[in-house]
Amino acid sequence: MNSSLLLAAIPATAFGAFFLPLLLQRFGRGAASLAAAAVISSCLALVVQLAPTIFAGQTALARLHWLPAYGLDLSLRMDGLGLLFALLICGIGLLVVLYAFYYLPDSDRLGRFFSILLLFMAAMLGVVLSENILLLLVFWEITSLSSFLLVAYSHGKYEARIGARMALAVTGGGGLALLAGLLLLGHIGGSYDLSVILADGAQIRAHALYAPTLILILLGAFTKSAQFPFHFWLPNAMSAPTPVSAYLHSATMVKAGVFLLARLHPALGGTDLWFWLVSGTGATTLVYAAATALFRHDIKGLLAYSTISHLGLITLLFGLDTRLSIVAGVFHIINHAIFKASLFMAAGVIDHECGTRDMRRVNGMFKRMPITATLAIIAAGSMAGVPLLNGFLSKEMFFAETVGHPQFEALAWLLPLVATIAGILAVAYSLRFVHDVFFNGEPIDLPRQPHEPPRWMRAPIELLVLLCLLVGMFPQMTVAPLLRVAAAATLQAPLPAFELALWHGFNRPLMMSLLALAGGICIYALRAPLFAWQAQLPTMHPRTAFERAYRLLANAARAGVGLLDNGSLQRYNALLFGFVLVLGGWAFFSGPEGSIRLPVQPAGEAAYLALFALLLGSVGATVLYRQRLLAVILAGVVGLVVAMVFIRLSAPDLALTQVAVETGTIVLMLLVLYYLPTHTPSASSASRLVRDLLLAVLAGGGLMLVTLRMLATPFETISGFYLRESVPGGGGTNVVNVILVDFRGFDTLGEITVLAIVALASHALLDRLTLIAPRTDGDGRPWSSEAHPLFLSMLMRPLLPLALTVSVYIFLRGHNVPGGGFVAGLITSVALVVQYLANGNAFAPQRLPRNAAGLLALGLLLASSVGIVSWLFGRPFLTSAHGHVSLPLIGEFELASVMIFDLGVYVVVVTVVITVLSGLGRLSERAHREQAEV
């Protein structure tokens, strides 16, 4: 199969099937688990099929044009780095699914959990496989949202809610910085494609905007990978279920930041600013988190800070900015993912069997869980860098890169000292985990009697620990090929000479390793005074600081909103028109100077009559606004005059649409007026009226001047393009309709999406609203008991099929003469409104569709399907197709794909009116019921 199709199928499969566990959970936990495993296995199989292409030194690319003019395409890329992360994401994800099936309680149906997990996995695959950096950013934000749902999975617990909120706040803030940084990067590089950006590193580094671009991108990476001082969110995310922690810490969430450093290193690395920012942050995080991990009593807390420390190590390696340090950084990404996933799963087993993770109580587990203990000890040894395990190899490479670094010639001892201290602390906290949990006497007051977990719950840990051993003892046969292609893709340059081996002779890195082992043992042996000293330090939990900052910001925001949003519509309008006045004044006085002279068209009696009607309607509606019925009628007059202006200016499509909209709107407003008083009470003071009058005159007059200046300024129009291309490009002679459904179809799709949202909002507002129907009109006369006269009812019923026939006719002809889906939908809507007026609630529910949400979805799907199908033919989104078809008895006629798009518009417009009518009908029933009860 074509490599592009295989590559596109990976995220398509992940996103297209993430909801399967939720759908299949009705068949039991096993069905949900099998669905999740099947989705991940399918993605993994696709990745494996692409592996030979990547190992051959090629880069797989797939591109689907979306908005090429704005640099946004659905383009994917798999090179060695993408292959490495895709294998980690899918491989460890598959093990997490098996582990979670046994870890989570039997009462959990697992559908929701696995669907969120698959969405998170799909987003991570999108991040590591994106060729377009704007697309990468979209997936980046989906990881933040889906990880929020995973951390807050046990949302009944306060710790889960606050941990999820903290994670979203920090990573979401970093995402905003990353957005700005990537936009600047694309601007500097002249493209948003990684292939172009990575090739133009010299130009990017020499640009004046390089420094702000780098800082913004690093903020996004550091917040995601929990680098100091943004590290505090990660330990608080330990409130998530342990399968989530194992996945987030090993292969996904926190690895996204270091992936970004690796991916953009050829474009942004190689400068002093990169070196000091990245290596300084990494070194600080490495040592600080390692020291903090030693004092954590919670097993997952210790592992969380160890993750932060190892992420700091990887960041430091990328910051050192030598070719071998990049290779070492990529290598440690692999090793850390393997041993950290096994450690978290082992910690989950201990918590599952003991009922607690407190290392002051969980002791002597080696006697009770010997197999699990042995596996965890091996994984902890890898974390500490013990020889014969995979962690030792990458740690040795790290130590080697700190010796004699060119940036530290004057202080050649400083960097090796920092690395050795970090190694000592890593041994110390690893030794504490091993000794306190598996030895150290007997357990203390455990909630449960510990024993070995189910066989298959332990299987993922066994496989990962086996990898620790195989990679540690046979690196050349196991991990070397993958490391080489991944490191080469990261460097975008030839690989330096290196050898993965257990023995490189007695050298400085080996001495540093031995010193780290000995020092770690000594520190753990002296832990009692260290713990006593740490207990005397002032306690300030990061969660407390975050909550205080959160409340401070929330209170400040609440106060700011209170100044503006006080429930006064007049204040809102005053602020709006004041802003419009300032903006309009700036536009007017900053524009080109010159007199405002427009060509004058001769006006006849009809024009003066229309102007008089327009003034009468607008002024009358303003002056008589307290008489609601009369104001609505006068507003309708204004709308009809505008329709006549459109006719005068040879715009029949606009006139037809205006008449239909005006008719439907006025009728719906009349229906609502039934529940409102006939007169609006006077509530404005004289000073407020003067203020409002002044704002209205200034804003209206200012906009008039700006409009006149704009019309008097020479400009170029694109109408000639639309007139030329309407028939050959869109297949229709009605230029207005071709623009709406073809040239500007994306705008129309957005507009009907807004209409659908309006329909859902009106349903939500009217569904629970309860009013009391008035017994009398404004003059005190009782309402007639015959709300729907028989004559009106019988007269209107035959008009419905006639109106539907007219709407079909208008719809079918719209591509060549005035009409189209929007106007046809409005005609159908007006017919339905009239039927409702004539026949009431007894008529409407029996004949109107009840599944409004389904119809809205159908309309949007019909409109979107035209764009989706165009992708299959390698065309941009919403590209239309048209041609002539000849049928017997009918002859030759034209068919255009945009008719499907227009049908979607028609369905949405009609459904919006149906939704409002249904809501008003239910409101009327409740109102008369309340009236009868009063």
Side-chain angles (χ1 to χ4, degrees), residues 48 104 131 167 192 227 229 318 360 400 437 500 571 579 655 702 911:
V48 171
L104 294 174
E131 159 74 359
Y192 293 103
Q227 296 298 285
F318 285 127
R360 293 167 296 187
V437 174
L500 300 180
R571 174 177 290 190
F579 172 76
T911 307

Side-chain angles (χ1 to χ4, degrees), residues 296-313:
R296 297 299 97 184
H297 300 301
D298 180 9
I299 298 176
K300 286 179 66 175
L302 183 150
L303 294 178
Y305 275 101
S306 74
T307 295
I308 298 172
S309 179
H310 281 273
L311 290 171
L313 187 154

Side-chain angles (χ1 to χ4, degrees), residues 260-278:
L260 191 66
L261 295 178
R263 176 57 83 199
L264 297 180
H265 174 265
L268 301 177
T271 64
D272 288 344
L273 184 61
W274 169 277
F275 173 82
W276 291 111
L277 286 178
V278 179

Side-chain angles (χ1 to χ4, degrees), residues 602-923:
E605 297 179 355
Y608 288 113
L609 182 62
L611 177 62
F612 174 75
L614 183 64
L615 292 174
L616 177 66
S618 56
V619 174
T622 304
V623 174
L624 303 174
Y625 74 96
R626 291 193 182 93
Q627 301 180 34
R628 288 186 167 126
L629 179 60
L630 184 57
V632 168
I633 294 174
L634 291 173
V637 171
V638 174
L640 291 177
V641 172
V642 171
M644 289 189 289
V645 171
F646 288 147
I647 295 175
R648 172 67 178 80
L649 297 177
S650 301
D653 274 285
L654 295 180
L656 190 59
T657 304
Q658 176 68 22
V659 170
V661 169
E662 199 65 37
T663 304
T665 303
I666 293 298
V667 173
L668 288 175
M669 290 177 67
L670 290 174
L671 287 174
V672 175
L673 285 181
Y674 173 68
Y675 299 99
L676 300 177
T678 55
H679 294 81
T680 303
S682 178
S684 299
S685 62
S687 61
R688 183 172 289 180
L689 286 175
V690 171
R691 180 204 68 180
D692 295 344
L693 177 62
L694 184 63
L695 275 174
V697 171
L698 290 176
L703 283 177
M704 178 191 71
L705 292 176
V706 170
T707 303
L708 291 175
R709 171 66 64 82
M710 182 184 69
L711 292 175
T713 302
F715 61 91
E716 295 182 3
T717 176
I718 61 171
S719 59
F721 168 79
Y722 290 137
L723 291 172
R724 288 193 310 271
E725 297 296 327
S726 178
V727 174
T733 56
N734 182 6
V735 182
V736 174
N737 184 263
V738 172
I739 291 174
L740 289 175
V741 300
D742 194 332
F743 295 128
R744 303 300 296 270
F746 195 76
D747 293 347
T748 306
L749 179 61
E751 291 163 3
I752 63 173
T753 304
V754 172
L755 276 179
I757 295 172
V758 169
L760 296 176
S762 66
H763 171 76
L765 290 173
L766 295 174
D767 189 46
R768 301 293 181 180
L769 181 62
T770 300
L771 300 174
I772 299 178
R775 297 180 181 274
T776 60
D777 62 9
D779 297 325
R781 294 171 298 186
W783 289 99
S784 171
S785 59
E786 189 180 6
H788 309 286
L790 180 62
F791 175 76
L792 180 63
S793 175
M794 298 305 296
L795 178 65
M796 290 297 106
R797 291 196 180 188
L799 291 181
L800 179 59
L802 178 61
L804 294 178
T805 303
V806 172
S807 69
V808 171
Y809 171 70
I810 292 294
F811 171 80
L812 292 176
R813 77 173 201 164
H815 208 50
N816 293 293
V817 292
F822 190 78
V823 177
L826 290 173
I827 294 174
T828 303
S829 302
V830 171
L832 294 175
V833 171
V834 171
Q835 291 297 319
Y836 174 80
L837 288 174
N839 299 282
N841 297 332
F843 174 85
Q846 301 175 7
R847 293 165 175 79
L848 297 181
R850 298 184 180 182
N851 187 10
L855 284 176
L856 291 173
L858 175 62
L860 293 176
L861 180 62
L862 287 172
S864 303
S865 64
V866 177
I868 295 172
V869 171
S870 64
W871 277 344
L872 302 179
F873 293 92
R875 300 284 183 163
F877 185 68
L878 287 178
T879 302
S880 65
H882 56 88
H884 289 78
V885 179
S886 180
L887 291 178
L889 302 179
I890 298 178
E892 183 177 300
F893 60 95
E894 185 184 24
L895 281 180
S897 62
V898 292
M899 290 187 65
I900 303 174
F901 184 93
D902 227 5
L903 180 61
V905 174
Y906 174 87
V907 172
V908 170
V909 171
V910 175
T911 307
V912 170
V913 178
I914 288 174
T915 304
V916 175
L917 278 181
S918 301
L920 289 175
R922 291 190 296 271
L923 174 63

